[in-house]
Amino acid sequence: MVQWGIAGPFVIYLLGLLGFGIVASRYMDDLGDYLLGGRSIGGAVTALTLQSTSMSGFMFMGGPAMAFNQGLYALWYAVGDFGGGLVNLGVLGRGLRQVTEVLGSLTPIEWLEHRYPHPSVRIVGSLIAIVFLSAYVFSQFIAAGQAIEAVSGLPYVYGVLIGAGIIVLYTFVGGYLAVAWTDAFQAIVMAIGMNIILVAAILEVGGVTSMFNQIAAQDSTYLSIWGRNEEYLGEWGVIAGAVLIYAVGYMGLPHAVVRHLSMDNAETAKLATVYNVFYNTFFVYQPYILGMAAIVLLPNLANPEMAIPELSMMLLPGVIAGIVLAALMAAVMSTADSMLIMAGSILSRDVVQRFSSRDIGDQEMLLWSRLMVLGIGVAGVIVAVVQPPGIAELVIFAFGGLGTAFLIPNVLGIYWDRGNWPGALGGMIGGASTNIIWTAMNLQEVTAIHPFFAGLIISTVAFVAISLMTSPPKEETIAPIRSARESIGAPSGVQQATTNELAPEANAISEHVSKNLELNSN
Amino acid sequence: MSILGIPTVDFLAIFIWIPVWWLVALFSLYMMRRHDTQKAQRRADTKEVER
């Protein structure tokens, strides 16, 4: 039975998002506009889009479920998440913005090849990114369908078609700018929705202290930082992984890192750090606390992932519950759209254009990018409807796989001039494969070390050791990076004049390929 | 001893990070501004010497 009191406002909200796509499309002139919003995004939008992109539907479903099952231990993830955007902006923001403009990099994978000049870096990087990003997009579409079905009563297939259809449409039409604007808007909707339901839940249980007292009365270990029944007592490797996965992990996610590339200038990172922490104060801890509130309010909850939707329907009138549903969907959509545009960008820029035998013009690449976004979007809808086996398993590896593959090459690419392409390749493969093996074989149980933490250690060791054992990068590779780094904070005009035009770069690539061909034929 | 019903040590371990992250944000803002000011000063000095 469709609950139109909830579904109605929600559908209107979704249609409103389409408006962002249409407006954004009016600002679209070239590929740089489609992939990076013309590098014109300001501090507030950067802070909000970075955070809403980084936090997926997990914040409304997985996070509260973990708190429902494990109690206070789940908040270790919030501890890291609170500082994740700040660390990302502080460590990578200004440097990556400046360097990628000088190098003309339009995607995070392209930046890696410019910094570590070897085709294998782009091939391996693109492969890892496309597989995991696509899996992530599919999972978010499935989550969108399930959420709409559970709360509004619409059939699952309609839920997927409505939720995913809107995302694909505005991303296809408006590109990165539409994604950034809708993300910023949705971040605000998420915070409002989350705090409405939190206040309602706390009032219902008779206050914060009363809530925690009632939880302790059920099982006092719910309030232990070591997990329910003190499952992780003394396991600092597990705690460190839980904190680090979000505190530093975002620096490895291509769809989060691209936010640095799109800032209007390097100075934007300064403001964005403060906006980001301000926003997190009103959002990051709340979902986990709500999960704990559900221990008291919904003790017989069959599916803990539905804690927040169930609480909202129990505590709020229909229209307000519709806003909470919109907030839940905002979390899903703001991540899915960013992954969609990122996967489309990597496919078009890092695969089609990079390995094409001819120069592809700017307007043709714009078309390619849109087609890739549409292609992945349609594939995502089909996968979400069919739900083939293996998709859920792939998603389990996605966040850790992306984070551990790209984090170290990204950070050391800015700060360590000695890092070279074999090291970057080793770091990517070592980090991602360790994370996958650790998760698949459940090595956390044996070693008491979180898969993300293990992947990060192996990635760092592999990157540094291989770089030191092989030749240092050429001076002409490092010189522009050093010069870009030096120009951070310079008055305008000091910075090297650069362009996002594709033609010069395409020519440079073809020259490079021609030289290689000549060398090989000799 | 408890704060809002949570044992004090557990409460602090989880919630102390909110003010800590705020301090880190403000400190990094300060450091970025100081870095820029010093760099601008060095540039100005270099130009002065060149003249």
Side-chain angles (χ1 to χ4, degrees), chain A residues 79 94 225 270 285 486, chain B residues 10 14 21-22 36 39 43:
Chain A
V79 167
R94 299 211 299 174
I225 55 170
K270 285 185 196 167
Y285 277 65
E486 282 299 304
Chain B
D10 298 81
I14 296 292
W21 282 124
W22 263 104
D36 294 350
K39 199 166 257 185
R43 282 198 188 95

Side-chain angles (χ1 to χ4, degrees), chain A residues 72 75-76 79 82-83 86-87 94 209 212-213 223-225 267 270 274 277-278 281 285 485-486 488-490, chain B residues 4-7 9-11 13-15 17-18 21-22 24-26 28-29 32-33 35-36 39-40 43:
Chain A
L72 200 65
L75 273 87
W76 282 120
V79 167
F82 198 101
L86 164 66
V87 171
R94 299 211 299 174
T209 307
F212 287 121
N213 285 338
L223 300 185
S224 164
I225 55 170
E267 300 314 291
K270 285 185 196 167
V274 178
V277 174
F278 179 79
T281 307
Y285 277 65
R485 218 169 37 206
E486 282 299 304
I488 292 172
Chain B
L4 296 173
I6 300 174
V9 173
D10 298 81
F11 181 91
I14 296 292
F15 291 98
W17 292 94
I18 296 176
W21 282 124
W22 263 104
V24 172
L26 295 174
S28 56
L29 189 64
M32 281 191 269
R33 288 201 166 156
H35 165 267
D36 294 350
K39 199 166 257 185
R43 282 198 188 95

